Amino acid sequence: PPLSQVPRLPALRARMASICRGSILSAAAAAGSAERCERVDALRCDIVARAAELRPMGGKRARMAKHKALVDLLKHLAALGLSFGSAAADPRQHAMADLFQVRAAPLDLARAAGRQSGSLVLLGERWRLAWRRGDELYYRALLKLTQLREARRRPHEDLSGREVQKAAGFVEHGFALLLRQREALQAAVEHCAALDARLERLANLSA
């Protein structure tokens, strides 16, 4: 920086650190993230529980109940903002090879959390474990996507073509969101690491 700005470096460093703590590591940010995760997890549990309840049932009434459950789910997914249109999918979803080539290198999450000790070191470790788990789930979701595409060719006779289109389209849109979230996390980790490096330089200059 210009020599005239050097005296301000300690204050700038403190300000940058405060902004990072408030927007990334604050209790409010963590609570908001946890709430969103809980809502998604609750929806998943409801779907699994309802499917397990309906699976052993047989007969005409059971078929009607299963069909209604599917229709209700499709309405709920649409209300959440998912789209079944082809434009909602990521262009990479057109070729399975492109999905397997999505960048999945291990992230330097400890570096992104900062080189400090104590709670931030533990935070970096939690991030690392969560990312590894998320990476495993990504490839499981990719497998399920291929199975869905195969099953779509021979749908159940109780389903209309429109319902099949909606169900498959919602899954494709959900997978597109997964791709974008992974890329957003990767970019955020790289930016946090770069910012931490700059803060370290500022700290050395102000020492």
Side-chain angles (χ1 to χ4, degrees):
L3 291 178
S4 60
Q5 299 294 323
V6 170
R8 298 184 58 213
L9 288 178
L12 290 173
R13 174 186 174 277
R15 177 60 177 161
M16 290 176 67
S18 175
I19 292 173
C20 292
R21 282 193 297 268
S23 61
I24 300 173
L25 303 176
S26 69
S33 177
E35 182 182 358
R36 288 189 292 272
C37 290
E38 288 172 1
R39 286 203 301 267
V40 173
D41 190 57
L43 175 61
R44 177 185 63 84
C45 291
D46 289 344
I47 294 172
V48 171
R50 184 60 174 154
E53 178 186 347
L54 293 171
R55 187 175 294 114
M57 297 171 58
K60 184 176 181 179
R61 292 185 63 183
R63 291 174 65 179
M64 294 174 61
K66 292 177 181 180
H67 187 261
K68 184 180 183 305
L70 174 63
V71 171
D72 290 343
L73 175 59
L74 295 179
K75 289 180 180 179
H76 186 64
L77 294 177
L80 290 176
L82 289 179
S83 171
F84 60 89
S86 59
D90 190 285
R92 289 168 291 182
Q93 290 172 242
H94 299 313
M96 194 58 62
D98 291 340
L99 294 179
F100 277 103
Q101 292 173 4
V102 170
R103 188 161 61 101
L107 300 182
D108 191 0
L109 293 162
R111 176 63 174 166
R115 292 188 176 184
Q116 305 176 48
S117 59
S119 60
L120 289 183
V121 172
L122 295 176
L123 177 64
E125 179 63 15
R126 288 200 298 271
W127 283 354
R128 186 185 67 81
L129 294 175
W131 175 259
R132 187 174 68 182
R133 175 60 174 161
D135 218 31
E136 295 171 355
L137 291 175
Y138 169 79
Y139 289 104
R140 287 178 60 183
L142 183 54
L143 172 62
K144 294 296 184 181
L145 181 62
T146 61
Q147 293 174 338
L148 172 68
R149 289 175 175 177
E150 182 64 26
R152 185 178 181 180
R153 299 177 183 178
R154 299 181 298 275
H156 194 278
E157 59 184 10
D158 287 348
L159 301 178
S160 68
R162 184 69 168 174
E163 289 166 346
V164 172
Q165 180 189 13
K166 284 186 175 183
F170 286 149
V171 173
E172 295 282 359
H173 188 193
F175 196 87
L177 294 176
L178 174 61
L179 286 173
R180 294 167 197 162
Q181 288 172 347
R182 283 171 59 85
E183 291 176 339
L185 283 171
Q186 289 168 331
V189 166
E190 292 170 359
H191 292 160
C192 284
L195 182 58
D196 181 69
R198 285 165 174 75
L199 287 172
E200 187 177 0
R201 295 193 196 103
L202 288 174
N204 292 337
L205 286 173
S206 61

